């Protein structure tokens, strides 16, 4: 009797970290992606279990590397910060990103955006924000059960998860943190930092000048007392 032995082989599934496509189609789109992502990083810097990423592949289903999206910015509550080459949901306590942002560019097609909409809706995103800087147009979708509902009025809207507010001015979108801090570009943040440093330096210089003047006044007072004593005047009660 001959026993046939079958050897089971497991094919390793490769989950690419990149598709070779650029993160943005133009400078304005890139600037908005950076602004939103980095300001959210600042907002949640002290919260250890909020993971934020930009243009990172999110794979929701193990074994299916073709099923993926890379939101311009995504926020995941309940997952630790840290470096990642991709977001494998099954390795992250099966927690999907709760908030995603997409910044539109002329290269975005209706087919592409419809695919993203269906993906985010199906795989558990709670808040989905889409901004078109060329048209200064902001749209938002909020999860209701198994589907998205359009947020009818985005001007003044406050994100339930993030606590940030959105205001559309005639020229641009303003995003403000729960503490009242406006989302700024890296250059604007650096300018504020420099202004604060200059203000602190001016205050320090003013304090040093005041101390020096106080020291001079004390010296003059001591000189006056010495002169009075020379004239035989009792200065003990002065």
């Amino acid at each position: 009797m001959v026993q046939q032995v079958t050897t089971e082989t497991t094919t390793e599934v490769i989950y690419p970290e990149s598709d070779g496509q650029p993160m943005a189609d133009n400078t304005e789109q890139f600037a908005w992606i950076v602004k939103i992502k980095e300001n959210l990083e600042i907002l949640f810097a002290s919260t250890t279990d909020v993971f934020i990423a930009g243009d990172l592949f999110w794979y929701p289903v193990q074994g299916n590397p073709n099923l993926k999206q890379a939101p311009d910015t995504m926020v995941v509550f309940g997952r630790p910060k840290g470096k990642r080459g991709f977001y494998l949901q099954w390795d992250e306590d099966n927690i999907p990103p709760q908030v995603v942002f997409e910044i539109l560019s002329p290269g975005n097609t209706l087919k592409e955006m419809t695919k993203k909409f269906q993906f985010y809706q199906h795989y558990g995103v709670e808040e989905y924000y889409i901004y078109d800087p060329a048209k200064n147009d902001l749209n938002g979708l909020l999860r209701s059960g198994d589907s998205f509902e359009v947020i009818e009025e985005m001007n003044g809207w406050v994100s339930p998860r993030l606590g940030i507010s959105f205001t559309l001015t005639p020229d641009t979108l303003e995003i403000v943190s729960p503490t009242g801090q406006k989302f700024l570009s890296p250059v604007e943040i650096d300018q504020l930092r420099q202004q604060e440093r200059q203000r602190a330096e001016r205050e320090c210089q003013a304090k040093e000048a005041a101390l020096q003047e106080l020291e001079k006044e004390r010296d003059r007072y001591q000189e006056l007392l010495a002169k009075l004593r020379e004239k035989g005047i009792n200065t003990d009660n002065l």
Side-chain angles (χ1 to χ4, degrees), residues 45-95:
S46 61
T47 307
T48 58
D49 63 343
V50 176
F51 173 67
I52 300 167
D55 195 42
L56 185 74
F57 272 143
W58 161 28
Y59 293 92
V61 178
Q62 187 172 10
N64 191 343
N66 296 318
L67 190 62
K68 63 184 182 298
Q69 281 295 340
D72 286 335
T73 300
M74 68 180 188
V75 184
V76 191
F77 290 84
R79 297 306 303 153
K81 302 181 187 303
K83 297 179 180 179
R84 292 168 174 80
F86 34 57
Y87 189 83
L88 304 178
Q89 187 172 315
W90 56 93
D91 285 341
E92 305 280 357
D93 286 348
N94 205 35
I95 298 176

Side-chain angles (χ1 to χ4, degrees), residues 16-213:
E17 296 184 8
S18 172
D19 58 3
Q21 299 298 314
M23 184 173 76
D25 292 339
N26 55 55
T27 56
E28 188 172 24
Q29 184 190 25
F30 181 79
W32 271 103
I33 294 171
V34 171
K35 177 188 284 190
I36 292 173
K37 190 265 183 185
E38 292 304 314
N39 279 270
L40 288 173
E41 292 275 19
I42 294 170
L43 178 60
F44 292 101
S46 61
T47 307
T48 58
D49 63 343
V50 176
F51 173 67
I52 300 167
D55 195 42
L56 185 74
F57 272 143
W58 161 28
Y59 293 92
V61 178
Q62 187 172 10
N64 191 343
N66 296 318
L67 190 62
K68 63 184 182 298
Q69 281 295 340
D72 286 335
T73 300
M74 68 180 188
V75 184
V76 191
F77 290 84
R79 297 306 303 153
K81 302 181 187 303
K83 297 179 180 179
R84 292 168 174 80
F86 34 57
Y87 189 83
L88 304 178
Q89 187 172 315
W90 56 93
D91 285 341
E92 305 280 357
D93 286 348
N94 205 35
I95 298 176
Q98 293 94 350
V99 185
V100 299
F101 291 83
E102 293 288 352
I103 307 301
L104 298 184
S105 72
N108 292 123
T109 64
L110 178 60
K111 179 180 179 181
E112 175 190 0
M113 298 312 297
T114 300
K115 183 179 179 181
K116 288 184 177 182
F117 172 90
Q118 293 172 341
F119 184 97
Y120 297 149
Q121 179 175 253
H122 183 74
Y123 289 106
V125 170
E126 298 175 11
E127 302 175 40
Y128 177 22
Y129 299 106
I130 310 156
Y131 180 56
D132 185 343
K135 298 179 180 178
N136 191 29
D137 182 52
L138 176 67
N139 289 282
L141 299 155
L142 190 65
R143 177 164 295 279
S144 177
D146 294 330
S147 61
F148 281 140
E149 287 188 358
V150 175
I151 301 170
E152 296 296 339
E153 182 54 68
M154 282 302 303
N155 197 18
W157 172 260
V158 178
S159 161
R161 273 285 190 174
L162 306 176
I164 60 177
S165 62
F166 303 89
T167 300
L168 282 166
T169 71
D171 300 317
T172 190
L173 168 65
E174 292 184 353
I175 306 175
V176 179
S177 75
T179 60
Q181 299 296 317
K182 183 180 175 181
F183 277 28
L184 301 173
S185 69
V187 172
E188 290 170 327
I189 292 173
D190 184 65
Q191 290 172 342
L192 282 180
R193 187 183 297 112
Q194 291 183 30
Q195 291 172 8
E196 178 60 25
R197 184 173 61 250
Q198 292 169 357
R199 182 193 64 79
E201 289 175 353
R202 288 194 299 268
E203 288 184 356
C204 183
Q205 291 169 356
K207 288 180 181 179
E208 288 179 357
L211 287 173
Q212 290 174 0
E213 186 61 32

